[in-house]
């Protein structure tokens, strides 16, 4: 049933938070800035206003720049300070990632951040830097040993559908020790397929549409959230029957430009 599925919406600002918060079925919101750069640390005022605007679980991205995840000591200090601010002012968790130059987990940096987050009794989430590591299984074991609560991942691929096999393996091998959160390319049209292929019970999605303001920018779309929830409601019956491919095809909107 839908009440067993957790939906997390990736927000790029206060308007996205307000849009996502209107849906009772949305469980968590991940607050970012600059989604066009893959998501960066939100401003302090954006977080403060978002915290006032929603009583849903609100997690903050802590990522000081675009590109990769190999940070200098100065950048790490900024990330710790940002995390402290968010935690002290009501964040329910911090989303972050640290890698070394060989694209393995930066154990010391992850441990420091994780211990900080847990000292506030909040959730430590390792983001899709995980997908850049060479061995997902070994990286997952490392993050378990560091007491990370959840990993946001597309299974080492560009999208969750491409990484579905790896996600299935991660969930069924390590799912009792750490939460695996599929994210990347999830849409109303494919969420049931992702569920079916991975066995996941939680999903991260931006539910985005492109808006215009002397240029384009991504924003959370209420209709895409609504269509996702409709697909889940319709696809999950009392006996957990998943829709057939034919049934799922009936849910597709032929006029949706972002599929």
């Amino acid at each position: 049933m839908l009440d067993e599925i957790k939906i997390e919406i990736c927000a790029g600002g206060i308007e996205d938070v307000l849009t996502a918060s209107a849906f009772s079925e949305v469980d968590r919101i991940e607050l970012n800035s600059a989604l066009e750069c893959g998501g960066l640390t939100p401003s302090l005022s954006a977080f403060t206003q978002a915290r006032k605007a929603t009583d849903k679980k609100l997690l903050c991205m802590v990522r000081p720049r675009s590109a990769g995840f190999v940070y200098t000591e100065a950048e790490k200090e900024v990330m710790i300070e940002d995390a402290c601010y968010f935690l002290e002012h009501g964040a329910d968790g911090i989303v972050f990632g640290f890698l070394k130059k060989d694209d393995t987990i930066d154990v010391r940096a992850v441990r420091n951040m994780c211990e900080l987050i847990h000292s506030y009794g909040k959730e430590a989430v390792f983001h899709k830097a995980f997908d850049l590591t060479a061995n997902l299984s070994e990286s997952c074991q490392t993050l378990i040993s560091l007491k990370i609560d959840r990993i946001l991942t597309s299974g080492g691929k560009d999208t969750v559908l491409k990484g579905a096999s790896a996600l299935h393996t991660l969930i069924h091998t390590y799912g009792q020790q750490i939460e695996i959160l599929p994210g990347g390319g999830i849409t109303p049209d494919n969420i049931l397929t992702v569920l079916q292929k991975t066995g996941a019970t939680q999903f991260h999605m931006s539910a985005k549409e492109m808006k215009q303001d002397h240029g384009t920018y991504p924003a959370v779309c209420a209709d895409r959230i609504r269509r996702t929830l409709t697909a889940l409601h319709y696809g999950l019956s009392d006996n957990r029957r998943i829709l057939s491919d034919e049934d799922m095809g009936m849910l597709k909107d032929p006029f949706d430009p972002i599929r």
Side-chain angles (χ1 to χ4, degrees), residues 25-204:
E25 297 94 337
V26 170
D27 298 279
R28 298 188 300 257
I29 298 172
E30 179 195 283
L31 180 62
N32 300 253
S33 66
L35 289 183
E36 64 275 12
C37 296
L40 302 180
T41 306
S43 71
L44 304 185
S45 57
F47 166 72
T48 300
Q49 293 301 312
R51 184 67 287 174
K52 291 177 182 177
T54 185
D55 58 2
K56 294 184 182 297
K57 276 195 171 183
L58 184 64
L59 295 95
C60 282
M61 173 67 74
V62 171
R63 185 182 176 209
R65 58 168 169 78
S66 60
F69 309 99
V70 181
Y71 299 114
T72 66
E73 291 305 312
E75 288 173 322
K76 291 175 184 178
E77 289 180 14
V78 169
M79 294 171 74
I80 289 290
E81 190 167 330
D82 282 338
C84 281
Y85 178 90
F86 295 138
L87 293 165
E88 289 174 2
H89 290 81
D92 294 297
I94 301 296
V95 184
F96 68 98
F98 295 103
L99 298 181
K100 297 168 74 173
K101 290 183 178 179
D102 62 355
D103 285 333
T104 59
I105 304 294
D106 185 337
V107 170
R108 182 179 64 85
V110 172
R111 180 182 290 113
N112 289 342
M113 180 68 85
C114 196
E115 288 179 351
L116 170 68
I117 296 165
H118 287 162
S119 74
Y120 286 85
K122 304 303 183 180
E123 297 179 339
V125 182
F126 197 93
H127 58 44
K128 292 183 70 178
F130 175 80
D131 290 326
L132 297 182
T133 63
N135 189 310
L136 298 186
S137 180
E138 288 183 4
S139 296
C140 189
Q141 292 176 60
T142 297
L143 294 176
I144 290 170
S145 72
L146 293 169
K147 304 188 186 311
I148 288 289
D149 297 293
R150 185 160 56 250
I151 301 172
L152 172 62
T153 173
S154 53
K157 303 295 184 181
D158 293 341
T159 69
V160 290
L161 282 179
K162 292 179 182 178
S165 177
L167 285 165
H168 182 275
T169 298
L170 289 169
I171 289 167
H172 287 271
T173 304
Y174 303 110
Q176 297 301 311
Q177 302 172 73
I178 192 169
E179 293 181 33
I180 304 297
L181 174 61
I186 293 177
T187 71
D189 296 336
N190 67 25
I191 191 166
L192 290 174
T193 301
V194 174
L195 186 155
Q196 196 169 37
K197 290 186 174 182
T198 66
T201 58
Q202 55 180 305
F203 303 94
H204 170 99

